[in-house]
Amino acid sequence: MDKMKVTYEAMLGLAAEMVLDEAVLKFRTEQTYKAIDQALASGDEDTFYRLAKQLNEMKR
């Protein structure tokens, strides 16, 4: 019974970590999109390309 409890707790921990990772990725992606929009609006081509590259790397 104890081994089953340890396994269950480990699986819950992994599930919580996956949810947290997904939330962080979503937040970073949204922030990057906003920064890309600002770079476009201000005509900052270098920042746009840097952020677009960063966004593509996050999607991998």
Side-chain angles (χ1 to χ4, degrees):
M1 187 68 170
D2 287 333
K3 185 176 181 181
M4 189 173 183
K5 181 179 176 183
V6 170
T7 302
Y8 180 71
E9 288 175 355
M11 291 185 69
L12 280 178
L14 288 173
E17 187 175 341
M18 289 172 61
V19 168
L20 181 58
D21 287 346
E22 184 66 29
V24 169
L25 178 61
K26 182 179 178 184
F27 175 78
R28 288 185 64 217
T29 301
E30 289 173 358
Q31 294 300 307
T32 303
Y33 273 119
K34 288 178 185 178
I36 286 172
D37 287 344
Q38 289 175 348
L40 285 171
S42 67
D44 188 349
E45 189 175 327
D46 292 333
T47 301
F48 168 77
Y49 282 116
R50 180 180 53 81
L51 291 170
K53 181 179 177 185
Q54 183 179 355
L55 184 63
N56 285 331
E57 289 172 359
M58 280 192 275
K59 290 184 176 184
R60 291 181 189 177

